[in-house]
Amino acid sequence: FIDEYLWFEEQVGVVVAYQVKAQGTEGHFGILRGVDMLEIFGQAGTSACTAAEIKKQNKTRDELAKNFRFVFLGVDECRFSGMAKAGETLICFGKIRTYRFRQMTLDGSLYKVPNDFDYRHFFQSFSEADFQKQKLPDVFYPLATFKHLTGRAIKIEKVI
């Protein structure tokens, strides 16, 4: 559920983009379900945890994968206020609340953007201050908010 990373700052947050695929809406009246929106946010959070561990341990993703599995542990609250259809682009913001002992907790939002909006250009000059203020164009339509999503890098021997 992640097509591209638009912005990432360790200890601060992550912004990703995803274009809704037709197969993701099949059998669901042509819309992306709330559980799929949660999955987008969960993958953004888990990937932020992975990127932070890569930097912290000075290893590649493949090297980390030999010892760890990056997993979604839970979320405290999800609120959905809109829907998306195949072909629409979604932007996910994940604000890192805590990150320690290979565990990350995030809050975030999911937005729909018009197809004619050049979001890549917008995020080229995006700064940490913009992220903290969630300085967004008026054309970003809110779809969901998430509170306290938790992901963790778990040692493989503890998984088995």
Side-chain angles (χ1 to χ4, degrees), residues 32-154:
L32 189 71
R33 299 172 304 160
V35 68
D36 296 321
M37 292 182 200
L38 175 59
E39 179 70 19
I40 293 167
F41 186 64
Q43 287 184 15
T46 301
S47 67
C49 184
T50 304
E53 281 300 310
I54 286 170
K55 185 175 180 182
K56 181 179 174 183
Q57 295 190 31
N58 195 26
K59 294 184 178 185
T60 67
R61 181 176 176 78
D62 290 340
E63 290 171 329
L64 282 178
K66 291 177 185 175
N67 297 313
F68 297 99
R69 292 295 177 260
F70 295 88
V71 298
F72 165 74
L73 296 177
V75 63
D76 287 351
E77 183 178 313
C78 304
R79 298 278 182 212
F80 303 103
S81 57
M83 61 183 166
K85 297 182 280 188
E88 294 181 322
T89 300
L90 308 182
I91 305 294
C92 179
F93 281 76
K95 184 174 184 173
I96 298 169
R97 291 294 180 195
T98 60
Y99 171 55
R100 59 181 171 264
F101 309 116
R102 297 187 314 271
Q103 183 166 305
M104 186 175 283
T105 301
L106 300 95
D107 291 344
S109 304
L110 189 65
Y111 298 90
K112 180 171 42 176
V113 297
N115 289 337
D116 62 348
F117 181 78
D118 187 355
Y119 65 87
R120 289 178 187 96
H121 177 74
F122 173 79
F123 284 105
Q124 282 179 346
S125 60
F126 202 66
S127 69
E128 183 177 336
D130 294 334
F131 180 85
Q132 296 291 2
K133 294 177 188 173
Q134 282 212 0
K135 183 179 172 187
L136 303 172
D138 291 338
V139 296
F140 276 46
Y141 179 81
L143 294 180
T145 57
F146 308 96
K147 291 191 179 173
H148 299 107
L149 179 131
T150 304
R152 183 177 182 130
I154 297 177

